[in-house]
Each structure stands twice: as structure tokens, then as C-alpha cells.
Amino acid sequence: AKHAPEMYTEPVIKESANRVYVEYYFSGQRLHEYNANKLGLSIIPNKARTKPERTKLLKKLKFELEKALEKGWDPITPAVVLEAPLTLEESIQKIVQSKLTGNYSRTYTRDIEGTAKQFLEFLTSKEKTAPPDSLSASRITAFLD
């Protein structure tokens, strides 16, 4: 039993410029989901190393979106959800992901990804799992030096 079927269309897998996503309409608005961040899930098909893995993750993303929509999830009006605060590593990944989906040059996005990767390699595992605001300015300076 679908929940208000006129509110949304069935999510469809799409591909453009070597990036895959799931497209659907919600309340007449066309939406593209490149990952499951809005659902609080870590499903990122475009980060897959192989085509079969990417396809598997893409199908999982489509499935999770369908499931959420059927339960009445609203992708446009974010619900106030009390969720665990993001770790520093998750925050960095979220920022990088937002840059990758933005309209930025290939060199800029490559530099962002590279810097984020180097920064995460520099951080201790304790720092990565701590909240972002717990990182001291001196640690950031040490990385930049």
C-alpha cells in the first residue's frame, strides 16, 4: 500500500557525465539523489571502485529511497531528526560530497578531494571520530605546515 502515490513518482536510475543518480519527482519537483545522505545512510554509488559495485550501490540507493517515500518521507522539507552528531570524518566527507555535486571545475573538485584525503590521513583515529568542533586550530596549522 503506497503512501499518497500522487505525491511522488517511482525513483528511476539515471546516468550523466560518468555519474549515476536516482531521479524522481516529489510534489511536482524533480529531484536527483547521488547518495543516501538525506536518509542518514552511507550509500555513495559514485565512490564505487568497480562498475558491478556501483550498480549494486545504485540499486540499494533506489530501494532505500522507494522505501522511505512509501513510508511518507518528505525529501524537500527536512524533518527535525534527533540524530547522533557527525564525526569530524563524516563532516569532511559531507563537505566534499557537496562540492562534488556542485557546479565546480574538475581541478577544483580534484583538489578538494585530494586535500580532504590527505587531511583524513593526517588525523588520528581519535580525532576523526570526535565532533568537528573538538579539533584544535594548532592541529589544523600543523597539517597546513
Side-chain angles (χ1 to χ4, degrees):
K2 289 197 181 215
H3 193 269
E6 69 282 351
M7 287 290 292
Y8 64 89
T9 61
E10 185 179 337
V12 177
I13 290 173
K14 299 264 183 149
E15 184 169 356
S16 74
N18 284 339
R19 297 203 42 221
V20 293
Y21 58 93
V22 176
E23 178 183 276
Y24 59 99
Y25 287 81
F26 188 88
S27 292
Q29 187 175 337
R30 186 172 67 172
L31 299 170
H32 294 159
E33 305 296 349
Y34 292 89
N35 56 55
N37 289 353
K38 284 185 183 175
L39 299 172
L41 300 170
S42 182
I43 304 169
I44 310 170
N46 290 296
K47 289 279 188 222
R49 303 214 187 283
T50 64
K51 269 222 181 229
E53 183 191 355
R54 185 175 83 168
T55 302
K56 181 180 165 195
L57 288 170
L58 190 57
K59 286 179 178 172
K60 185 164 176 50
L61 174 60
K62 179 180 185 266
F63 171 78
E64 293 296 342
L65 287 167
E66 285 172 340
K67 198 166 74 172
L69 288 164
E70 283 176 14
K71 287 182 180 171
W73 171 68
D74 180 343
I76 297 169
T77 316
V80 179
V81 179
L82 295 175
E83 51 190 60
L86 292 178
T87 65
L88 177 58
E89 184 171 21
E90 290 166 339
S91 297
I92 291 169
Q93 288 168 341
K94 234 182 175 153
I95 291 165
V96 169
Q97 194 59 41
S98 75
K99 296 297 177 196
L100 296 180
T101 57
N103 191 17
Y104 300 103
S105 75
R106 200 170 290 161
T107 13
Y108 178 75
T109 54
R110 184 200 62 214
D111 291 348
I112 290 282
E113 277 186 301
T115 305
K117 184 177 186 277
Q118 289 172 346
F119 188 51
L120 288 170
E121 287 168 359
F122 169 81
L123 296 171
T124 65
S125 53
K126 189 175 184 178
E127 287 171 329
K128 286 186 218 178
T129 56
D133 58 1
S134 67
L135 189 67
S136 70
S138 61
R139 283 293 284 155
I140 298 168
T141 307
F143 168 72
L144 294 172
D145 289 342

